């Protein structure tokens, strides 16, 4: 059966397609530009890459108003998590030491990473810490950043590092597992992106599937340890066909980081969990 459009209907149909492309183009521009929630107006919710003089001054200033803080440590994915947590948590004092390209299980000689300074900071301020949360990009635990087997040495090094943070106060440490990595390049043309959004199989092929195996591995290997594991994958329950492009908004700012919209969209799912509410509020 062949459907024929009148000239008027044809014009409306073409215009509708054009509007969809324009909306998608606009969504891409916004997602790539607005990568994180802005917390400049929030005095005691802030993220720094390292324990600078200004960071310590801000911590000490906030300690005059609030007894304890939540500390989030990790790489650039921990910045995403910090923004989600800080946005939804009622706790007034939440800080983050997180830097892109820096992970405790991997030595990065080209960067001045924050992990040793974070240990010193935690031990000095141990009486003022409510909870420590760790998070990092999941694919760095995978072979070639996407495949099995899991790089167990990196896991062991990361676990060892987190145990250094315990101190004699036996501070509660939570390892928030990885979030989904759709691996969709927003720098590609809108036409290509549009073709992905209407073809679930293509989207599924791009996603880093090893993240889900890693999640199970971390859960199993941290069970019974001093480090409590929280599966973000289970809490967020990411569905590529429904959660990547939502109401003309893209939830990621690149292949693996949440956009500002995504930090709010996925963060809301995290905070809805009763166990997470107890940790974060």
């Amino acid at each position: 059966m062949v459907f024929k459009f009148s000239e008027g209907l044809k014009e409306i149909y073409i215009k509708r397609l054009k509007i969809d492309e324009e909306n998608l183009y606009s969504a891409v521009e916004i997602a790539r530009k607005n990568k994180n929630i802005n917390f400049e107006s929030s005095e005691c919710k802030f993220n720094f890459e390292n324990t600078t003089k200004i960071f310590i001054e801000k911590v000490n200033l906030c300690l005059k108003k609030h007894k304890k803080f939540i500390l989030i440590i990790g790489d650039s994915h921990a910045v995403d998590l910090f923004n989600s947590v800080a946005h939804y948590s009622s706790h007034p004092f939440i800080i983050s030491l997180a830097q892109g390209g820096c992970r405790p299980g991997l030595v990065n000689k080209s960067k001045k990473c924050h992990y040793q300074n974070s240990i010193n900071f935690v031990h000095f301020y141990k009486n003022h810490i409510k909870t420590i949360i760790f998070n990092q990009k999941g694919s760095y635990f995978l072979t070639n950043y996407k495949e099995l087997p899991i790089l167990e040495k990196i896991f062991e090094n990361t676990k060892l590092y987190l145990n250094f943070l315990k101190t004699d106060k036996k501070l509660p440490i939570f390892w928030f597992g990885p979030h989904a990595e759709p691996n969709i390049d927003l720098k590609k043309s809108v036409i290509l992106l549009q073709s992905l959004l209407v073809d679930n199989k293509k989207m599924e092929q791009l996603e880093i599937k090893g993240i889900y195996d890693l999640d199970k591995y971390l859960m199993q290997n941290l069970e019974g340890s001093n480090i409590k594991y929280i599966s973000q994958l289970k809490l967020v329950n990411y569905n590529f066909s429904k959660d990547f492009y939502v109401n003309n908004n893209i939830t990621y700012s690149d292949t693996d980081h949440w956009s500002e919209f995504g930090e709010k969209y996925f963060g809301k799912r995290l905070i809805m969990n009763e166990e997470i509410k107890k940790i974060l509020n």
Side-chain angles (χ1 to χ4, degrees), residues 52-281:
T52 62
K53 182 181 178 182
I54 296 174
F55 172 78
I56 297 299
E57 288 175 351
K58 286 176 71 72
V59 169
N60 290 335
L61 179 65
C62 288
L63 281 173
K64 292 179 180 179
K65 302 176 182 180
H66 311 292
K67 292 182 179 180
K68 293 195 174 187
F69 56 83
I70 294 171
L71 174 62
I72 299 174
I73 298 176
D75 63 3
S76 56
H77 280 215
V79 177
D80 284 346
L81 180 62
F82 162 76
N83 288 325
S84 294
V85 169
H87 183 73
Y88 285 108
S89 173
S90 61
H91 195 76
F93 194 1
I94 303 172
I95 61 178
S96 172
L97 284 167
Q99 186 177 164
C102 288
R103 295 158 195 98
L106 286 166
V107 177
N108 189 336
K109 295 181 179 179
S110 65
K111 300 196 75 168
K112 293 182 179 179
C113 292
H114 55 294
Y115 290 107
Q116 182 56 55
N117 288 341
S118 295
I119 292 174
N120 299 337
F121 174 78
V122 166
H123 282 254
F124 186 83
Y125 285 93
K126 60 186 179 184
N127 293 322
H128 300 287
I129 297 174
K130 177 181 184 289
T131 301
I132 296 173
I133 294 170
F134 171 76
N135 175 251
Q136 77 158 64
K137 183 177 177 179
S139 54
Y140 278 90
F141 289 100
L142 301 174
T143 301
N144 298 321
Y145 308 114
K146 62 180 180 179
E147 301 164 348
L148 298 177
I150 291 164
L151 303 175
E152 295 189 10
K153 181 65 175 175
I154 295 177
F155 164 73
E156 292 297 338
N157 289 344
T158 305
K159 183 180 177 183
L160 181 64
Y161 172 79
L162 294 180
N163 279 317
F164 279 129
L165 297 175
K166 293 295 291 186
T167 79
D168 57 350
K169 295 288 291 184
K170 296 183 179 179
L171 295 169
I173 297 180
F174 295 86
W175 184 332
F176 275 53
H179 64 233
E181 297 183 28
N183 199 29
I184 295 174
D185 187 356
L186 295 183
K187 295 191 290 291
K188 300 281 188 180
S189 74
V190 172
I191 300 298
L192 285 174
L193 181 56
Q194 190 180 48
S195 69
L196 282 175
L197 293 176
V198 297
D199 190 337
N200 290 345
K201 288 184 178 179
K202 285 184 179 179
M203 289 187 75
E204 189 176 8
Q205 287 169 358
L206 284 173
E207 189 179 3
I208 307 296
K209 295 293 190 304
I211 296 294
Y212 296 89
D213 295 297
L214 173 65
D215 188 55
K216 294 175 184 175
Y217 173 89
L218 294 174
M219 192 178 299
Q220 291 170 359
N221 284 273
L222 289 170
E223 188 176 1
S225 73
N226 295 324
I227 303 161
K228 174 75 172 177
Y229 185 72
I230 304 292
S231 172
Q232 282 200 87
L233 289 177
K234 288 188 175 181
L235 293 176
V236 169
N237 193 27
Y238 173 79
N239 182 322
F240 53 83
S241 65
K242 298 178 181 179
D243 295 324
F244 184 80
Y245 189 49
V246 182
N247 298 328
N248 295 328
N249 293 283
I250 294 177
T251 53
Y252 282 76
S253 62
D254 55 25
T255 56
D256 56 272
H257 293 91
W258 291 341
S259 63
E260 179 185 357
F261 177 82
E263 289 172 348
K264 295 175 182 176
Y265 180 77
F266 297 125
K268 189 174 183 179
R269 292 185 183 180
L270 285 174
I271 205 69
M272 290 293 287
N273 181 271
E274 291 301 319
E275 182 182 3
I276 303 302
K277 284 182 182 179
K278 291 176 184 178
I279 296 170
L280 300 180
N281 292 323

